[in-house]
Amino acid sequence: MTELAAAKAALKTQAVETPSWAYANSGTRFKVFAQQGVPRTPQEKLDDAAKVHEFTGVAPSVALHIPWDKVDDYTALAEHAEDRGVRLGTINSNTFQDDAYRLGSVCHPDAAVRRKAVDHLLECVDIMDTTGSTDLKLWFADGTNYPGQDDIRARQDRLAEALAEVYERLGEGQRMLLEYKLFEPAFYTTDVPDWGTAYAHCLKLGPRARVVVDTGHHAPGTNIEFIVATLLREERLGGFDFNSRFYADDDLMVGSADPFQLFRIMHEVVRGGGFTSGAAFMLDQCHNIEAKIPAIIRSVMNVQEATAKALLVDAEALAAAQASGDVLGANAVLMDAYNTDVRPLLREVREEMGLDPDPVGAYRRSGWAERIVAERVGGEQAGWGA
Ligand code: PSV
Ligand code: MN
């Protein structure tokens, strides 16, 4: 197989999971701007996600967030997804929106609150059993705002205890993905602030506990591709929550703020066997002022473009330049790939998959945007309930 053919084959197998909450209303803590045609139910979120898959061909699963996507019958929800050509993916827990969690959830000083939080995580595993989801994604808003507020080390012990109970409950083929975040909503300490803390907990738990890299969750200037390379090397990269940031956890479209960073990350993924390493490619974004479905389609395309460029890196030439200490040569190999216009290649890939080469244009021409505005009248629009 030529290099180009191999790149095309890989691009056809890539799967990017879209988050149910990206289809719903969202905003900043200052204002949520409601949009017309936004889903009212988890089923309608799946209908929108199915459109993203229909036009990109590489977004076959949808992440759920519980309780935002709570339903009485998850079997029926999974069937609804299947009927539309998608499936239910990662189950995301939510231990950050109850009054009880003012001082944290699994790290809370009160055992009763910790019990409530762990019970919720166990409920998420029950849901996974029904939906056939393989990944449980945990992100904790836990932390403290003031020095002395709580015992930093005791909070780690409580965290470890809670994670161990949930890990024990995992069924065969199920994984626990632990997500870290530098700060927010806690500002003095965060209980899982970085990949090192997440990794240390995962290591203790066992091989099915892995770290999630949300690209928006780092200090400015952090070398995220180094973290990716290290976690892949340790076989502990669970996956990504892709998005873009200019300042903090901005949740903008992946590849919009720094496409070069996304390329560098995807280069490490390709280098580290990322397509076969079990790393999940998920989006974790909110579209506050832009139209949501085309923004998600664009995000999927941005991931594809960065991946295509990474697949075009001449690995042999790069290794040779690196081995001979040819600093400029090695850098040039990488930059050649980055500077390649891969859009014609991706148009070809889509045509070969029987898709329109222009997913955003195809979506616009489909009339779906007008249809949901006309049909989704009344009821309560979905949101992230903050
Ligand atoms: C937290 O900021 C986070 O990145 C976690 O993944 C949450 O589950 C998600 O955002 C909610 O949007
Ligand atoms: Mn995230």
Side-chain angles (χ1 to χ4, degrees), residues 137 179 214 217 241 284:
K137 177 134 63 69
E179 178 177 350
D214 183 313
H217 289 185
D241 265 7
D284 179 11

Side-chain angles (χ1 to χ4, degrees), residues 16-63:
V16 181
E17 182 162 294
T18 71
S20 69
W21 54 100
Y23 301 96
N25 278 329
S26 59
T28 64
R29 65 182 191 277
F30 302 105
K31 170 72 181 163
V32 171
F33 294 102
Q35 294 190 15
Q36 283 188 304
V38 156
R40 282 100 27 108
T41 60
Q43 288 82 355
E44 287 181 349
K45 294 179 195 173
L46 292 170
D47 296 346
D48 287 357
K51 290 291 153 188
V52 174
H53 184 46
E54 181 181 327
F55 295 112
T56 63
V58 295
S61 63
V62 189

Side-chain angles (χ1 to χ4, degrees), residues 4-296:
L4 212 59
K8 276 184 172 179
L11 288 163
K12 287 175 193 167
T13 62
Q14 187 173 28
V16 181
E17 182 162 294
T18 71
S20 69
W21 54 100
Y23 301 96
N25 278 329
S26 59
T28 64
R29 65 182 191 277
F30 302 105
K31 170 72 181 163
V32 171
F33 294 102
Q35 294 190 15
Q36 283 188 304
V38 156
R40 282 100 27 108
T41 60
Q43 288 82 355
E44 287 181 349
K45 294 179 195 173
L46 292 170
D47 296 346
D48 287 357
K51 290 291 153 188
V52 174
H53 184 46
E54 181 181 327
F55 295 112
T56 63
V58 295
S61 63
V62 189
L64 300 185
H65 217 297
I66 310 295
W68 297 339
D69 296 312
K70 206 171 178 129
V71 290
D72 291 334
D73 186 346
Y74 288 97
T75 308
L77 191 67
E79 280 166 10
H80 183 96
E82 254 169 59
D83 285 348
R84 279 143 189 84
V86 290
R87 64 183 154 74
L88 304 181
T90 309
I91 301 297
N92 289 256
S93 59
N94 184 326
T95 50
F96 48 89
Q97 288 187 307
D98 272 37
D99 285 335
Y101 299 141
R102 190 166 60 91
L103 302 179
S105 63
V106 289
C107 303
H108 197 286
D110 181 346
V113 177
R114 297 204 293 280
R115 188 66 254 153
K116 173 184 162 72
V118 172
D119 284 346
H120 168 67
L121 305 184
L122 297 173
E123 174 201 359
C124 287
V125 185
D126 291 343
I127 293 170
M128 290 165 68
D129 288 342
T130 311
T131 58
S133 305
T134 52
D135 289 345
L136 170 69
K137 177 134 63 69
L138 307 178
W139 171 70
F140 299 109
D142 292 50
T144 64
N145 270 5
Y146 295 99
Q149 179 188 319
D150 198 359
D151 185 306
I152 292 173
R153 193 170 156 160
R155 292 181 74 91
Q156 287 299 308
D157 294 340
R158 298 171 202 148
L159 173 64
E161 197 181 311
L163 291 176
E165 184 176 343
V166 179
Y167 188 83
E168 279 305 306
R169 163 65 183 86
L170 291 180
E172 211 178 315
Q174 294 180 339
R175 311 189 302 173
M176 176 190 277
L177 308 184
L178 183 56
E179 178 177 350
Y180 59 89
K181 181 175 180 179
L182 176 64
F183 80 107
E184 196 201 27
F187 295 118
Y188 168 57
T189 58
T190 294
D191 294 308
V192 190
D194 51 28
W195 75 270
T197 308
Y199 176 69
H201 282 282
C202 287
L203 212 55
K204 275 233 169 78
L205 290 165
R208 286 188 288 144
R210 289 180 168 220
V211 180
V212 164
V213 176
D214 183 313
T215 46
H217 289 185
H218 305 86
T222 300
N223 184 331
I224 299 175
E225 59 269 29
F226 177 83
I227 299 171
V228 170
T230 304
L231 288 173
L232 278 169
R233 184 172 174 275
E234 301 296 335
E235 298 181 340
R236 290 292 177 151
L237 180 64
F240 293 96
D241 265 7
F242 280 131
N243 52 49
S244 282
R245 63 187 283 276
F246 287 103
Y247 294 100
D249 188 22
D250 305 343
D251 283 341
L252 301 175
M253 292 189 297
V254 58
S256 59
D258 187 350
F260 185 43
Q261 180 191 60
L262 183 59
F263 161 76
R264 299 192 311 265
I265 290 172
M266 289 313 300
H267 170 60
E268 290 309 325
V269 169
V270 171
R271 165 74 178 80
F275 278 66
T276 51
S277 70
F281 303 104
M282 300 171 279
L283 304 182
D284 179 11
Q285 305 182 164
C286 294
H287 306 287
N288 303 344
I289 58 166
E290 67 274 32
K292 295 167 196 297
I293 300 172
I296 299 166

